Amino acid sequence: MSLDLKPKPLTTPPADRGRDVRSSGARWRRTVALKGASFTVPFFAGFVLFTVVPVIMALSKSLYTAKSSGLGFGAKTVSFSGFENFDRALHDVKFWGSLWRVALFAIVVIPLIQATSLTLALLLDSVRRRVAGKLRIAMLVPYMSPGIVATLIWIYLYSPAVGPLTPFFELFGIDANFYSSRLIWVSVGNLMAWGSIGFNMLIVYGALQAVPRDIFDSARVDGASEWRIAWSIKVPYVRRSLVLVSVLGIIGTLQIFSEPLLFRSMTPETVTKDFTPIMTIYNQAFAVGDFNYAAALSIVLALVVGLISAVFYKLTNKAPA
Amino acid sequence: MTTITARRHRHDDDLPAGHHPSKLSRTLVWTGLVLFLIYSIAPVWFLIVSATKDQRDLYTTNGLWFADFHLLDNTRDLFTYHDGIFLRWMANTLLYGVAGTVGMTVICVACGYALAMYRFRGRGILMGCIIGSFLIPGALLTIPSFLLYSRLHIVDTPWAIIVPHFFSAFSVYLAKVYAEGAVPPELLEAARVDGAGEYRAFFTIGARLMTTGSATIFLLGFVGSWNSFFGPLVFLRGEQKWTIMLGLYSWLNIKVDQSVDLTGLVIVGAIVSLIPIVALMLSMQRFWRSGITLGSLK
């Protein structure tokens, strides 16, 4: 893509300036626009180097394959292989298994997180604003904790040795092993919910505050209950924000990496090295050492993430909010 | 007079007019809020309580209440273990965060300002690049970035963390939205009439009017840098260059690999890493809150 920084004369007529000679005025305006454009040069130079170039590199790398010559001791020879890597990616059972795993997880956990965030925002909206302000800060503490710290906290809470959760469930006669393959997604889902509900609630609550208040008054005059107002007025108003946080959630969930990686430290049998798509890519690149294949997998994942987000956006954002 | 004040007290001015919730719905609302409050706070409470226990009490006493108080011993252990490597990690995290975010703020605020205040050719394409790049999953970039940084010989140096952080499309977007609201074009026009050049107008007027927006961008960027994990994991090798998050991860692994139990250190370390960032965010609440609402709702 070309970064065309050539100036264009301002279309608006110049403000009343002392010496308004036509030709010099046009030249002057062009200089202004050029100087304005120069402010963007550092960013776009870096953007090209650190975003555009890597994307192009990913595309080109994915078309090559490195093969060891001889018995694997010789130097690697890199040869053009066309779409061979993509063909391999499309038939990679482990990769698609990991993708399916996180997709299924997203389908379950994102609606739950959104429903909770919405409920919470509605609850907060129905108490006095000053109280709501204080509660909101406390509820944002999880969002303020770095993802790694949040994961560590829950890893220890789940731990049968250190955490209070296993003994708590034992009181009811439930043997809850949060690291087991049956519960691991519940464990990760709860951890993600804990970290993200506060943030989502904040955005939805912000949208709620923007609803003109007199609509509620007229609804009340018409005899609508608070529940009815919440469901029929407030929810439709915050739909756009809900869709936005959901898309962000989908993009984030399909790329989940650090949470399962930390869980892997505790329970390597349950959380395999290719448990999620990013873990598969990371493993291919840095354990196997096949950067070409990892690049192809990255592209496939990017396409899938983009496609799912677009479809979701299209399906849910039809009606004007 | 007294009746009026009493009334105003009862009907707090921020409660919506005509709002008469029933007792049942009030109870339900508060039950929900309190339950969620406990859910949000209790895990952090557990972390704080655990940090005050010694290794034995950690495994034998109730996780949600205090046993013998060993916080000071634990903190000393944290900062002396392995020749004080944790302090080193803290310094690294701070250095990468400050250096990367200061550069990012300058570059991105200037760019956002230009996109908001000037009409030049190619501006639409540039905006398209910025919005489009939001959709590129971070994961797509990591592998090719690694190859690129190897070629640039910056893998395993702080530059691999600091320099790429400079170029944040989201920050440019925030800066543009903020500049549109904060910098009146008439003011720039007036500055031009008075003979100020574009650069001077930016530094004396634009940048100053955008102070709040820049603070927001800095804060969000710094928090992002402090919390980042994948980048440092891929680009940094030697433990002398690690960040806190990488260090904690490595300690978690040691527990599994060997018989040394660093659980206590990980817990205290997690709290220590949390303190500066939570303190910063609480004291600068209005900045990052306005930042995420600006970014998401406009």
Side-chain angles (χ1 to χ4, degrees):
Chain A
M1 95 197 59
S2 77
L3 297 177
D4 192 355
L5 293 174
K6 259 183 262 148
K8 187 171 94 178
L10 288 173
T11 42
T12 46
D16 181 25
R17 279 176 292 104
R19 35 169 198 99
D20 195 16
V21 186
R22 199 153 269 232
S23 65
S24 81
R27 202 183 313 135
W28 177 79
R29 265 175 275 127
R30 209 177 304 150
T31 322
V32 167
L34 186 65
K35 279 186 175 170
S38 72
F39 283 111
T40 66
V41 169
F43 174 78
F44 281 102
F47 182 79
V48 168
L49 181 60
F50 290 105
T51 305
V52 179
V53 169
V55 170
I56 296 170
M57 279 181 83
L59 290 170
S60 78
K61 281 279 161 191
S62 64
L63 300 176
Y64 288 84
T65 304
K67 286 203 177 79
S68 306
S69 54
L71 292 165
F73 298 112
K76 282 188 173 176
T77 52
V78 180
S79 59
F80 184 80
S81 59
F83 289 102
E84 201 179 89
N85 282 319
F86 289 97
D87 190 52
R88 189 178 150 203
L90 288 177
H91 297 99
D92 188 331
V93 182
K94 279 192 173 166
F95 177 71
W96 290 101
S98 68
L99 196 58
W100 181 240
R101 202 176 279 138
V102 291
L104 206 63
F105 174 63
I107 290 170
V108 176
V109 81
I110 289 176
L112 278 177
I113 290 180
Q114 293 330 325
T116 320
S117 313
L118 175 65
T119 314
L120 206 59
L122 289 172
L123 291 181
L124 268 186
D125 192 50
S126 67
V127 300
R128 289 163 204 271
R129 279 201 191 177
R130 254 169 265 166
V131 183
K134 293 204 176 82
L135 285 175
R136 208 172 42 187
I137 298 173
M139 289 171 182
L140 277 169
V141 167
Y143 168 67
M144 293 178 200
S145 345
I148 298 300
V149 172
T151 314
L152 287 173
I153 294 177
W154 281 98
I155 277 183
Y156 289 128
L157 278 169
Y158 293 141
S159 153
V162 191
L165 286 178
T166 314
F168 175 77
F169 280 102
E170 265 168 16
L171 290 180
F172 303 96
I174 302 169
D175 178 27
N177 177 5
F178 292 96
Y179 297 156
S180 69
S181 53
R182 275 178 59 205
L183 277 184
I184 191 79
W185 280 120
V186 177
S187 311
V188 177
N190 173 57
L191 155 67
M192 279 185 60
W194 186 74
S196 61
I197 285 176
F199 171 79
N200 293 357
M201 176 270 292
L202 190 72
I203 288 177
V204 178
Y205 182 78
L208 270 181
Q209 299 304 302
V211 182
R213 293 276 130 177
D214 37 354
I215 294 184
F216 302 150
D217 290 337
S218 15
R220 282 190 192 104
V221 171
D222 290 345
S225 69
E226 293 301 318
W227 301 99
R228 183 71 206 280
I229 292 176
W231 185 249
S232 304
I233 303 177
K234 293 181 179 176
V235 172
Y237 251 100
V238 298
R239 247 182 62 167
R240 266 177 70 100
S241 330
L242 272 180
V243 169
L244 180 97
V245 286
S246 304
V247 171
L248 292 179
I250 292 172
I251 295 176
T253 309
L254 293 181
Q255 298 184 66
I256 183 173
F257 174 74
S258 61
E259 291 88 350
L261 189 72
L262 264 65
F263 272 92
R264 185 168 155 72
S265 303
M266 304 305 279
T267 169
E269 311 84 37
T270 314
V271 184
T272 52
K273 60 183 184 302
D274 35 27
F275 198 61
T276 74
I278 302 283
M279 285 173 79
T280 314
I281 293 170
Y282 179 77
N283 185 52
Q284 279 296 332
F286 298 107
V288 180
D290 192 344
F291 282 98
N292 302 90
Y293 186 50
L297 287 180
S298 305
I299 292 167
V300 173
L301 179 64
L303 290 176
V304 170
V305 171
L307 192 72
I308 292 181
S309 313
V311 167
F312 181 84
Y313 191 80
K314 196 116 198 167
L315 285 180
T316 50
N317 211 24
K318 265 186 222 147
Chain B
M1 187 72 188
T2 43
T3 47
I4 292 171
T5 41
R7 223 184 215 180
R8 286 197 62 174
H9 222 78
R10 234 173 340 119
H11 278 277
D12 220 333
D13 47 342
D14 56 8
L15 204 63
H19 183 101
H20 297 297
S22 68
K23 211 164 195 168
L24 173 71
S25 66
R26 275 186 70 103
T27 319
L28 280 175
V29 165
W30 278 103
T31 314
L33 287 174
V34 168
L35 280 179
F36 191 77
L37 197 63
I38 295 173
Y39 176 64
S40 305
I41 301 294
V44 180
W45 171 253
F46 161 80
L47 189 72
I48 295 171
V49 168
S50 303
T52 67
K53 294 177 178 175
D54 64 13
Q55 202 80 344
R56 196 171 45 87
D57 285 347
L58 203 56
Y59 291 97
T60 52
T61 58
N62 183 345
L64 294 177
W65 200 247
F66 297 99
D68 293 343
F69 196 77
H70 289 283
L71 180 62
L72 296 179
D73 299 338
N74 292 342
T75 317
R76 204 195 47 229
D77 289 349
L78 174 73
F79 286 115
T80 51
Y81 178 79
H82 206 326
D83 300 329
I85 188 88
F86 191 81
L87 258 179
R88 171 92 204 197
W89 292 338
M90 277 186 87
N92 289 346
T93 316
L94 198 68
L95 171 75
Y96 304 158
V98 171
T101 316
V102 167
M104 180 274 273
T105 310
V106 174
I107 290 172
C108 294
V109 165
C111 183
Y113 167 85
L115 289 173
M117 308 315 294
Y118 298 95
R119 299 283 170 274
F120 49 87
R121 204 135 156 240
R123 180 176 164 277
I125 301 172
L126 297 185
M127 272 316 289
C129 288
I130 287 175
I131 304 289
S133 72
F134 292 167
L135 294 175
I136 302 175
L140 169 63
L141 290 178
T142 309
I143 300 304
S145 295
F146 181 82
L147 299 170
L148 174 69
Y149 300 176
S150 312
R151 207 166 286 177
L152 298 174
H153 300 293
I154 59 170
V155 170
D156 202 22
T157 69
W159 302 115
I161 306 299
I162 295 173
V163 178
H165 189 59
F166 286 168
F167 312 104
S168 154
F170 182 67
S171 300
V172 173
Y173 176 73
L174 275 186
K176 177 187 173 273
V177 172
Y178 192 85
E180 278 164 356
V183 187
E186 298 80 21
L187 210 56
L188 289 186
E189 202 57 49
R192 280 179 205 129
V193 174
D194 290 348
E198 298 309 309
Y199 300 111
R200 185 145 169 228
F202 173 65
F203 286 113
T204 53
I205 299 173
R208 286 187 194 180
L209 289 174
M210 289 178 73
T211 311
T212 312
S214 310
T216 308
I217 289 165
F218 178 86
L219 184 69
L220 289 175
F222 183 77
V223 170
S225 157
W226 186 276
N227 297 352
S228 66
F229 176 70
F230 197 35
L233 177 72
V234 170
F235 299 126
L236 296 177
R237 291 293 132 80
E239 61 176 13
Q240 291 296 319
K241 291 164 197 148
W242 282 352
T243 61
I244 297 180
M245 297 304 150
L246 265 187
L248 291 176
Y249 170 63
S250 76
W251 280 355
L252 186 75
N253 271 333
I254 285 178
K255 178 187 154 55
V256 184
D257 291 349
Q258 298 156 23
S259 52
V260 202
D261 186 3
L262 294 179
T263 306
L265 286 188
V266 176
I267 286 173
V268 184
I271 293 214
V272 171
S273 79
L274 208 60
I275 292 169
I277 213 74
V278 170
L280 190 70
M281 286 177 90
L282 285 181
S283 60
M284 294 177 79
Q285 259 199 74
R286 82 188 163 98
F287 290 109
W288 63 266
R289 272 225 318 265
S290 66
I292 55 178
T293 38
L294 256 189
S296 60
L297 296 177
K298 289 227 168 162

